[in-house]
């Protein structure tokens, strides 16, 4: 459950390359646009505006390759949308990898713009879509911006990722993996900045919030280890992995739960 291939990067982070600096600038542009204001079911016009922005960005990507669609569904007289870009695979097109993140922000007193939760994840989805539009893969890649991950829709019939996952199932599509990109913008070297829902985990994993974590359920064990191995081989950045039963608090607290 905790043994992962390779070793987590340790030490001072290397300086950004020129391409990484360009990427950082684009990530900032996207996050600042997504997190311009709270956007959720009670801030509905703002939520629709973000969906429109994401559709525009993915449509620009699709001009190189791929196709964009919106999956609309109604709730209490309002229409909510998952925004989807598909990049067809070159050899195993029937096998689909879903890379997704929710774009709604949490409803909270005083208003939360959602830069980290989850503008950071959505910006990463856009960055990956732009990259892979220029680098075709063997399998089909679907980049999905999900609506309504936050309460009161979380883990209900109206959660955007569950609406989408059920459509995949109804169509008999072969989704062989799903990556949910969630709250990736937080970084803190201070001891105690990282906490865990189970007290024992802080005896195993770092107590500084300065790493990327990969979490999957027992059925996804092989996939989690593959992702961690490739990440550690390619990227000089701290990383941790865990394979946890779905009943563990926090293990399913994002859109991967729907799949």
């Amino acid at each position: 459950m905790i043994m992962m291939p390779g070793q987590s990067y340790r030490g001072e982070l290397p300086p950004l390359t020129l391409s990484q600096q360009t990427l950082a600038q684009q990530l900032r542009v996207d996050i600042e646009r997504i997190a311009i204001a709270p956007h959720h079911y009670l801030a509905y016009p703002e939520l629709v505006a973000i969906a429109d922005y994401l559709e525009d960005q993915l449509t620009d990507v699709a001009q190189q390759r791929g196709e964009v669609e919106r999956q609309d569904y109604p709730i209490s007289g309002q229409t909510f949308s998952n925004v989807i870009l598909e990049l067809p695979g070159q050899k195993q097109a029937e096998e689909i990898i879903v890379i997704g993140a929710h774009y709604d922000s949490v409803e909270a007193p005083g208003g939360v713009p959602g830069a980290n939760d989850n503008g950071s994840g959505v910006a990463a989805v856009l960055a990956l879509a732009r990259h892979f539009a220029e680098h075709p893969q063997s399998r089909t890649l679907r980049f999905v911006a999900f609506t309504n991950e936050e309460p009161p829709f979380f883990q209900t019939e109206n959660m955007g990722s569950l609406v989408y996952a059920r459509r995949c199932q109804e169509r008999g599509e072969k989704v062989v993996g799903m990556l949910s990109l969630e709250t990736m913008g937080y970084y803190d070297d201070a001891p105690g900045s990282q906490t865990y829902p189970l007290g024992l985990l802080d005896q195993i994993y770092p107590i500084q919030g300065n790493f990327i974590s990969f979490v999957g359920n027992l059925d996804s064990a092989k996939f989690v280890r593959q992702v961690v191995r490739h990440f550690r081989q390619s990227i000089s950045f701290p990383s941790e992995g865990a394979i946890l039963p779905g009943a563990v608090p926090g293990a399913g607290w994002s859109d991967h739960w729907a799949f």
Side-chain angles (χ1 to χ4, degrees):
M1 295 170 66
I2 62 175
M3 298 299 294
M4 294 290 141
Q7 297 293 324
S8 175
Y9 180 81
R10 295 290 184 262
E12 185 175 349
L13 297 179
L16 297 180
T17 65
L18 289 177
S19 63
Q20 289 170 341
Q21 292 176 33
T22 300
L23 174 59
Q25 293 172 357
Q26 182 61 61
L27 289 169
R28 177 178 289 275
V29 168
D30 289 329
I31 291 173
E32 289 183 347
R33 179 62 184 84
I34 294 165
I36 195 170
H39 44 284
H40 46 68
Y41 74 108
L42 292 180
Y44 181 71
E46 290 78 7
L47 184 69
V48 172
I50 299 305
D52 292 341
Y53 173 76
L54 297 174
E55 183 177 18
D56 288 344
Q57 295 303 305
L58 293 176
T59 298
D60 287 343
V61 175
Q63 291 178 0
Q64 302 178 64
R65 189 171 66 90
E67 183 177 348
V68 175
E69 68 164 318
R70 285 174 78 138
Q71 181 192 17
D72 298 331
Y73 63 99
I75 305 175
S76 301
Q78 295 177 323
T79 299
F80 296 88
S81 303
N82 294 321
V83 186
I84 306 150
L85 167 68
E86 178 172 302
L87 301 179
Q90 302 299 292
K91 295 181 180 179
Q92 297 164 277
E94 75 284 356
E95 296 187 1
I96 301 164
I97 300 287
V98 174
I99 302 171
H102 72 90
Y103 64 88
D104 58 315
S105 63
V106 67
E107 177 198 353
V112 175
N116 184 39
D117 185 9
N118 189 29
S120 60
V122 179
V125 168
L126 293 177
L128 290 168
R130 293 170 184 137
H131 172 81
F132 284 110
E134 298 178 354
H135 300 85
Q137 300 295 297
S138 176
R139 292 186 172 104
T140 292
L141 301 181
R142 284 193 189 157
F143 300 89
V144 189
F146 298 114
T147 190
N148 292 348
E149 188 265 0
E150 300 287 2
F153 306 109
F154 181 67
Q155 293 190 355
T156 72
E157 297 294 314
N158 289 321
M159 186 175 176
S161 52
L162 183 59
V163 172
Y164 178 73
R166 284 188 167 158
R167 191 183 78 168
C168 294
Q169 185 181 54
E170 290 166 0
R171 293 180 173 182
E173 295 174 334
K174 189 177 181 181
V175 176
V176 297
M178 191 276 175
L179 294 167
S180 174
L181 309 186
E182 175 76 44
T183 56
M184 301 173 71
Y186 181 83
Y187 182 93
D188 195 335
D189 280 323
S193 55
Q194 178 65 50
T195 60
Y196 301 91
L198 293 180
L200 293 177
L201 293 179
D202 61 10
Q203 304 299 312
I204 302 171
Y205 294 105
I207 58 172
Q208 297 85 11
N210 60 358
F211 60 93
I212 288 287
S213 60
F214 299 87
V215 181
N217 63 9
L218 300 178
D219 289 338
S220 304
K222 181 179 179 180
F223 186 51
V224 172
R225 292 192 176 98
Q226 287 176 331
V227 174
V228 171
R229 181 177 71 252
H230 286 298
F231 184 89
R232 290 177 170 178
Q233 289 173 345
S234 306
I235 303 297
S236 298
F237 194 86
S239 60
E240 301 294 339
I243 299 161
L244 301 172
V248 174
W253 287 0
S254 191
D255 292 298
H256 57 293
W257 169 84
F259 290 81

